[in-house]
Amino acid sequence: MGGIYAHLSKSKLQVFFVLILIGIITFVLKRLITGQNLDALTMGAFVGAMLGGIFAIIRKIKHTYIIYLKLRKRRRKGFDK
C-alpha cells in the first residue's frame, strides 16, 4: 500500500509522513490481532521511516537520472539549434 502511495504522490516529504502513519497502523493492528507485548508505535514509526526514506531516495535518483538524460540529449543536439 505504501509503494502505491509513493508512486502516485508528488511530495517526498508527504510520502515519508504517510508511510510512518501506515507503519504505525500496521503494527498496532498486528499487536491487537496477535497479542504480542511489543511497542507498536515505536516499531511502526521506525519501519515507516525506513520505507519512507527508501522511497524518497528512489524518487530522487529517478528524477536526477531523467534530468541527466534530457541534458545529455540537448548537448548532443546542441543548445543553440
Side-chain angles (χ1 to χ4, degrees), residues 31-75:
R31 181 178 184 186
L32 291 174
I33 292 170
T34 62
Q36 291 178 337
N37 193 12
L38 301 172
D39 188 14
L41 292 177
T42 304
M43 288 176 56
F46 181 70
V47 170
M50 284 193 322
L51 287 174
I54 289 169
F55 282 126
I57 289 169
I58 289 171
R59 175 168 289 194
K60 181 64 177 174
I61 290 170
K62 280 184 181 178
H63 182 71
T64 303
Y65 185 67
I66 288 170
I67 290 175
Y68 168 74
L69 290 177
K70 286 180 182 179
L71 184 61
R72 191 173 84 184
K73 187 175 171 183
R74 287 197 174 253
R75 283 182 180 156

Side-chain angles (χ1 to χ4, degrees), residues 22-36:
I22 290 172
I24 290 171
I25 290 170
T26 302
F27 274 93
V28 167
L29 288 174
K30 180 184 177 214
R31 181 178 184 186
L32 291 174
I33 292 170
T34 62
Q36 291 178 337

